[in-house]
Structure formats: structure tokens, C-alpha cells
Amino acid sequence: MAYTDFSFKKVLPLSLFMIVLSAAIVTTFAWKADAFGSTPFFRAVRLFAEETAVYGIFAIRHYDHQLAAAAASVGGPDTAAASVPTASLAQAIPVLTYHRLGVFGSDNQNVSLQNFMDQMETLSANGWHTITLEQYEAFMKGKIALPAKSFLLTFDDGAQQSVYPVDPILKTLGFTAVEYIIVAASEEQGSTYYLSQAQIAHMLASGRWEIGSHSYDGHREYPTGPNGETGVFFADKLWLPDQDRLETSDEFAQRVTRDLTEAKQDLESTYGVTVNTFAFPFGGESGINAAGNFPQGESTSEQIASQIYDIGWLQTARKDFTYNYPAYAGFLQYRIHVDHDWDGQRLLAELENGLPKVLPYTDSMQENRGWMDSWGTVQAGGVLALSATSSQTSASSILDGSRLWKDYEFDATVSWHTGYAFLLADATNARTYRDCTFADGVVEIQDTTNASITTLKKRFDSSIKSGDDIPLGIRVSGDTISCLYDGNVVLTYEGLASRQGGIGVQAWNPQPGTAGLTVTHVAVSAL
């Protein structure tokens, strides 16, 4: 007993320490429960530390960039080459899509944190800014105007690594984003991959995030046969093992309807928000895998989704213009998937090249200003070179940003030595356009709709020859199309409906791997 001291001086500090420690523990766990929900404690601590570190690193980085930009502005105006003229108000909007970020580097599928910081910093420094989903929808309906260089930033899957490394960057730059949630995954208890319901609520409370539907539980493989075959929830009929059969078309439609409806209702009731948009899982060219056991599955799912949501997001496959245009926006709209190896300058070039271009337009091909590889191999830089792959008979490229052009003449200096050279006009995408087709001794006017070709008029003319640096042209005005060779009109067709559409070039030869052409100069003038 001689060594035990219960004096007030000894007990009071110890009691205060225990009270403070207990309060800290209770507060910590209460904070964890409120902000992270069922996420395991040590995972929550890691995410908090990660978020804090990214905020500090990016804030310093952003401040340094601002200082450098201010110093550069003192030195005088930028002497870089002038950019392509574009409208001052937005005529169309690009939508970017990511999944999770690789905090410690890219995994060859997802963008690294380092690249994402570079991308967002580069866009911000060059005048780009995010808009909200509400603003996007209002703009596409013609209710509001937006400045040029507006874009919508989206993330799929509801992964924790798509929010915690991202939010500090959004906060620093004043950006916003949309997260597409797999509802069933968000309801899992103790997940270290997906956002919990508490995390989503905490994210929404920041004011920087909105949410949309990425299905209730349609983002995983499902059985489509008795021998372990698997398929896509929104494209394939599923196998019913207890009945030893595939589901019927009606059962497919009922299942898809149930999933999409439950996803919307659960998100809206849980978070008190309106959910009008749906991101198709596995978003390829048409959003979902059509190469399954139900050829009508894709279109059926799209039709059902259009009755539940206002917008269904797909991912562009480089066969469509990359921006979404209000005049042509239906239920299905496109997003640009940001590749894992893009740095800030590459993403900036993609967005700048997609900006709606104004007439007159000239291009000496010294750099790629938006010529997209619809199919085949397309290289731009010095010349625009198209070549078919060994298994293809054609190569094609359309000029991004030319979607709204109407009544113009498109002239190009073209070199080709085999097969056919096409100049495309009135292009709504790489499968729907009108063209003048040139080959040795012949010129044709064609109308192509969803890759179905109709020859409108044809002329045999021995003066038309392939070779180097041949001036070719196509003129579209009202209902009239004219083909020009060496500056002279050689064929005209009247009677087609007038429409807006962009330009492109194409090479074709019936023997695979032999089609090709180069373009050294392009000029487009309004009529």
C-alpha cells in the first residue's frame, strides 16, 4: 500500500486523460460510422489519409502552376500556333468517363492518379470547366446556354478509388462530377472496394458530386448456359437451372425492367435525389455486348431504359463525333472513355479537336486536329495517311467537330494509286454520309445510311486518274451534290434532302490490305 497514491493530484490528471481518450475514441468511431458506414475501420483510416495527402499534394501543385502561369503571362503573349476557330458559346458538350484511379500507377485499364491530376490541371489551365448533370440536361433540351469548353465529368461503378483520390482535386479546382452507382454493391456490408451508403451520402453532401444509375445488380457475369457459359445481364437471356432452360424474351424484358426500376427507386429514396440517367455497364460501341445469345437483347434493354431514364450513356467507338449535340440528342448519348495512358496534353488535344469548328476551315495536316480513325489505320502529322489493315478492304476517317456544317465545298489534295478515293460530306457518323468516289476512269455519287450504300449517279470519264497530289472536291448545297476533279465539276446529283453533317476521307479496294491514300491539304468553304 505504500506505493499506491490515490491523492486528488494523482487521480485528477489520470481521470481527465481517460475522459479525453474515451471521448476521442467515441468521436472517432462516430465519425467513422457517419462518413464511412460499414467500411472496415482500417480501410476508412487509409481512405481518409489518402484523401488528405492528395489534397495537400494537389493544392501545392496547383499553386505552383498558377505561379508559373502568372510568370509566363508577364513575359508576353503565347507565341504558339493559333488554335482552330470555334464558337464562343457551347454548341455541343463532351462527357468524360473514368472508373477508379490507380493511386500508385496505372494498371493498363484505369488512369493513374498522377495522370488524372495532370489532366484536370491542364484542362483547368486552358479554360475548361465542369458542369453539373442538371446543367447538361437543361443545355441538351435547349433551356440554357453554356460557355464553350464546358464538359461533364463522370465515373462508373461506385468504387471508393473513384471518389477519395478525386474529391480533393475537384475541391481545389472548383470542379464537379457524377458517380454511377451499382446499387446492390453499395448495399454490401464491409466492402473495401465499393462505396457504402454512408460514403455516398457523405459524398453528395459535399455539393461536388451527383449520382446516377449503373444498374441494380447488372454489372457482373451471369449464367447463360448449362455448361458454365456466362453472358451480359442487359444483352443475353439467362439460364434458369431449376427449369433447365433459357429465359423467354418476355422474362428477359421483365428482368431488365425490374433491375432498372429498382435501381432508380432505391437511389432516389435512399439519398433524396432525382436519378434521370443510366450508364450501361460494359459500355462499348453501343453500350452493351451484343454478341450473345439474344440478338434483340441490346435494343430491348435500350428501349426499356428509355422509358425509365432520360439519358442512357454509351461510350464512343471513334465512329461517331465525340461531343453530344442538342439538335441530335436522343435517349442514347455518348461519353469519351479516357484511356489509361493519356496525360494532360493528350486529353486536352482530344477535347480541343472535338470542339465544333467554324467555316472557313483549312488544314495542312501538320498535326492532328481531329481526324478520327473510324476503321483501318489513320495517321496525321505532315500528311493524313489512311491504310487498310491486312483483313480490311477500307480505311476511313471523319473530322471531329465538323458535325454542324451545312452547305459547303470540301476540297482536298489526295494521293492514291490503287482502288478508290472517297470524299465524305453530310456525315452524321462514320456509317451515314454522302460521298464522291473517284477511281481511274470513273466518278460516283453515293448515299450511305447505316453502312448501306446506294449509288445515286455514275459517270465514266477517262480524264479521271489516280496519282499524286490530285485536287478532288465535293460540294453540298441544299438538295444538290457535286463532285469536282482538278477544280472542275464532273458530276452532279439533285433531289436529296438537305442536312447538316461533317467531312471525311476514305479509301477502298476489294483486295484486303491494299486500300490507302494520303491527304496533304484540306480547305472547306461555306456556300
Side-chain angles (χ1 to χ4, degrees):
M1 296 294 295
Y3 296 100
T4 304
D5 184 358
F6 288 103
S7 66
F8 182 77
K9 291 183 179 180
K10 295 290 186 179
V11 172
L12 179 61
L14 181 60
S15 299
L16 290 175
F17 173 76
M18 293 303 296
I19 291 171
V20 171
L21 179 61
S22 299
I25 292 173
V26 170
T27 301
T28 298
F29 277 90
W31 161 81
K32 184 268 175 189
D34 179 63
F36 293 90
S38 63
T39 302
F41 180 79
F42 288 105
R43 174 65 176 174
V45 171
R46 174 183 168 180
L47 291 172
F48 176 74
E50 182 179 283
E51 183 179 38
T52 303
V54 172
Y55 184 80
I57 292 169
F58 189 75
I60 294 171
R61 174 189 178 124
H62 181 59
Y63 180 71
D64 287 345
H65 281 172
Q66 289 181 313
L67 289 179
S73 66
V74 174
D78 187 2
T79 58
S83 61
V84 178
T86 59
S88 58
L89 287 177
Q91 295 177 295
I93 301 292
V95 182
L96 301 182
T97 183
Y98 297 80
H99 291 80
R100 64 183 182 85
L101 296 189
V103 175
F104 299 106
S106 170
D107 57 6
N108 294 325
Q109 293 182 345
N110 296 290
V111 173
S112 69
L113 172 60
Q114 180 65 34
N115 273 357
F116 184 77
M117 288 194 293
D118 186 42
Q119 290 166 6
M120 295 301 106
E121 181 69 51
T122 300
L123 294 184
S124 177
N126 284 274
W128 286 85
H129 56 275
T130 58
I131 57 174
T132 66
L133 194 54
E134 181 180 1
Q135 288 174 311
Y136 177 87
E137 292 185 82
F139 173 82
M140 298 306 285
K141 293 175 181 177
K143 295 180 177 179
I144 63 171
L146 291 171
K149 298 190 176 183
S150 298
F151 73 101
L152 184 66
L153 178 62
T154 71
F155 294 81
D156 281 359
D157 298 348
Q160 294 174 354
Q161 291 301 140
S162 66
V163 172
Y164 287 93
V166 172
D167 191 58
I169 299 168
L170 303 183
K171 185 176 182 180
T172 301
L173 297 176
F175 281 5
T176 59
V178 186
E179 183 76 47
Y180 283 89
I181 305 296
I182 306 168
V183 178
S186 71
E187 295 173 348
E188 293 178 5
Q189 296 297 305
S191 176
T192 60
Y193 185 88
Y194 293 107
L195 293 163
S196 68
Q197 291 178 322
Q199 288 172 304
I200 295 170
H202 189 72
M203 174 186 81
L204 290 172
S206 73
R208 291 182 289 276
W209 290 89
E210 299 170 276
I211 59 172
S213 168
H214 204 32
S215 80
Y216 186 86
D217 193 19
H219 199 291
R220 57 186 176 91
E221 292 183 339
Y222 277 83
T224 56
N227 301 311
E229 300 92 337
T230 59
V232 177
F233 186 90
F234 292 104
D236 295 315
K237 291 182 177 180
L238 303 189
W239 181 253
L240 306 177
D242 57 333
Q243 301 178 48
D244 197 34
R245 66 174 177 86
L246 285 172
E247 63 186 356
T248 65
S249 298
D250 285 344
E251 288 170 333
F252 173 93
Q254 292 168 9
R255 170 173 56 80
V256 168
T257 301
R258 184 168 55 252
D259 180 279
L260 296 178
T261 302
E262 288 181 1
K264 176 180 172 68
Q265 291 176 344
D266 279 21
L267 290 173
E268 290 184 336
S269 62
T270 301
Y271 305 106
V273 296
T274 300
V275 174
N276 289 329
T277 61
F278 172 65
F280 282 92
F282 312 114
E285 176 183 348
S286 53
I288 44 185
N289 179 17
N293 63 19
F294 186 28
Q296 295 78 37
E298 175 180 323
S299 59
T300 299
S301 289
E302 291 171 352
Q303 194 273 333
I304 292 170
S306 70
Q307 297 176 351
I308 300 170
Y309 299 94
D310 293 340
I311 296 174
W313 294 118
L314 310 179
Q315 287 175 198
T316 179
R318 306 296 289 170
K319 294 179 175 59
D320 295 89
F321 295 100
T322 55
Y323 283 36
N324 293 308
Y325 293 80
Y328 306 104
F331 169 67
L332 297 176
Q333 298 182 33
Y334 287 91
R335 296 186 294 172
I336 302 168
H337 181 265
V338 181
D339 288 345
H340 72 93
D341 57 349
W342 290 5
D343 61 9
Q345 288 300 319
R346 173 61 189 275
L347 179 57
L348 177 65
E350 292 287 332
L351 293 188
E352 299 276 350
N353 286 341
L355 281 166
K357 297 175 173 65
V358 298
L359 295 176
Y361 174 85
T362 60
D363 195 340
S364 60
M365 306 299 175
Q366 296 307 302
E367 60 185 34
N368 191 345
R369 293 162 65 179
W371 294 96
M372 300 187 294
D373 48 341
S374 301
W375 56 81
T377 301
V378 177
Q379 296 179 329
V383 297
L384 175 65
L386 278 64
S387 58
T389 65
S390 60
S391 62
Q392 294 178 316
T393 57
S394 64
S396 180
S397 177
I398 57 175
L399 178 63
D400 208 4
S402 63
R403 176 67 178 85
L404 296 178
W405 289 355
K406 183 178 181 180
D407 294 340
Y408 55 86
E409 182 175 320
F410 164 30
D411 297 299
T413 303
V414 180
S415 299
W416 89 104
H417 296 276
T418 185
Y420 294 77
F422 297 63
L423 293 191
L424 315 184
D426 287 343
T428 59
N429 54 48
R431 299 168 300 277
T432 299
Y433 52 84
R434 294 156 180 169
D435 68 71
C436 288
T437 304
F438 302 88
D440 287 328
V442 66
V443 57
E444 299 177 59
I445 295 176
Q446 299 181 133
D447 187 17
T448 298
T449 303
N450 291 327
S452 177
I453 302 171
T454 301
T455 299
L456 303 175
K457 200 169 184 178
K458 186 173 184 177
R459 175 187 175 188
F460 294 97
D461 185 338
S462 60
S463 68
I464 297 173
K465 298 181 182 298
S466 60
D468 293 323
D469 298 328
I470 308 296
L472 303 179
I474 182 171
R475 183 183 297 161
V476 288
S477 179
D479 68 348
T480 302
I481 301 177
S482 300
C483 303
L484 293 82
Y485 179 84
D486 199 18
N488 300 309
V489 175
V490 292
L491 190 63
T492 296
Y493 181 86
E494 298 177 351
L496 285 174
S498 176
R499 74 183 187 205
Q500 290 180 308
I503 65 170
V505 291
Q506 184 173 318
W508 181 81
N509 202 31
Q511 183 178 350
T514 61
L517 59 79
T518 60
V519 181
T520 54
H521 187 267
V522 160
V524 187
S525 55
L527 298 177

